[in-house]
Amino acid sequence: MATPPHQPLPPYGFGRPAPLPCDVCGAIPAVHTVVRGHQGLVVTLRFLTKEGTFCRTCGTSLYRKMTSDTLWQGWWGLLSAFAAPVTLFMNIGARRRIRSLPHPVGNLRPQLAPGRRVLVRLPALIITGALVAALGVFVVPRLIPSTPPSFMAGDCGRNNAEWPEQDLEEVGCSSAEAEFWLSEGGKCWGMDWLVYLEYSAEQEMLCAHPMKK
Ligand SMILES: [Zn+2]
């Protein structure tokens, strides 16, 4: 049956489903969703779910709390190392559903406080800090090209390659690891090797003499 003109649509009914109220505060609109959490407890683990109809405010609060709790409680077990990321991933869908709602109106009971965003809560900050530290310690040094040591006459070192290949490292002259000592290039003789110019601090020829054992 066609709706008579000039008559406003009744807000709901007539085929339009009534909006679901939020389970927590009673506000509308709300959406049915499942927010998940995970606790890894070394030998056992717990999958936590909060299923219900939530408004944007209460849903955001649940999502943030359970996601943030998972970030610090979720990893303490072998299986949990897999379960925690899956939980976090599944919560992205719940978050999207909740965030697509307009701001709720007409709450009958107090709403849950959304609190701070997940990324600025302590667990996320600690994980971010640890990742940055790991990056600094393990990755960055590999990206920086290593500069060869620069030698001067009188220095000692060792060759980590087989002569005449040179992969030189500076070693103290009194060290047992020292394999050669350096003089100026004009003083090379016998079994000595001329050192690649890249190892010379002053771009002058240097000569490596075997240490007398
Ligand atoms: Zn609510």
Side-chain angles (χ1 to χ4, degrees):
M1 196 179 80
T3 311
H6 311 303
Q7 190 177 330
L9 269 176
Y12 299 103
F14 290 90
R16 296 178 66 194
L20 295 165
C22 173
D23 287 352
V24 180
C25 70
I28 54 169
V31 69
H32 181 268
T33 190
V34 183
V35 187
R36 292 166 207 277
H38 182 74
Q39 290 180 330
L41 304 166
V42 185
V43 286
T44 176
L45 40 93
R46 284 170 68 190
F47 294 91
L48 313 169
T49 55
K50 280 254 195 270
E51 180 171 6
T53 308
F54 304 114
C55 70
R56 183 180 166 118
T57 304
C58 299
T60 300
S61 172
L62 284 173
Y63 162 79
R64 288 180 179 172
K65 167 130 182 55
M66 294 184 79
T67 301
S68 198
D69 285 352
T70 301
L71 281 179
W72 72 273
Q73 297 174 339
W75 309 98
W76 312 110
L78 198 59
L79 279 173
S80 296
F82 298 97
V86 171
T87 303
L88 295 172
F89 181 75
M90 290 173 84
N91 269 358
I92 294 173
R95 178 180 183 271
R96 192 176 298 138
R97 288 169 67 78
I98 291 161
R99 300 276 292 181
S100 68
L101 291 170
H103 281 283
V105 290
N107 58 304
L108 308 169
R109 298 176 290 276
Q111 294 178 312
L112 300 178
R116 304 202 309 162
R117 297 178 58 209
V118 172
L119 288 180
V120 296
R121 294 187 187 205
L122 197 58
L125 291 177
I126 289 173
I127 289 174
T128 309
L131 288 177
V132 168
L135 214 68
V137 171
F138 297 110
V139 179
V140 172
R142 283 155 205 264
L143 300 180
I144 299 171
S146 62
T147 49
S150 57
F151 290 99
M152 293 172 67
D155 289 342
C156 299
R158 54 179 286 179
N159 183 12
N160 295 319
E162 284 289 316
W163 297 101
E165 294 294 314
Q166 296 181 21
D167 177 11
L168 307 187
E169 179 188 338
E170 188 164 1
V171 175
C173 290
S174 55
S175 162
E177 293 194 348
E179 293 174 356
F180 60 81
W181 63 278
L182 295 169
S183 72
E184 285 153 22
K187 297 179 182 167
C188 247
W189 65 85
M191 300 296 289
D192 303 341
W193 294 101
L194 277 175
V195 167
Y196 292 162
L197 219 48
E198 66 189 82
Y199 289 110
S200 168
E202 299 181 334
Q203 301 292 299
E204 289 172 353
M205 297 289 258
L206 289 172
C207 187
H209 309 272
M211 296 295 263
K212 291 194 173 62
K213 300 281 177 180

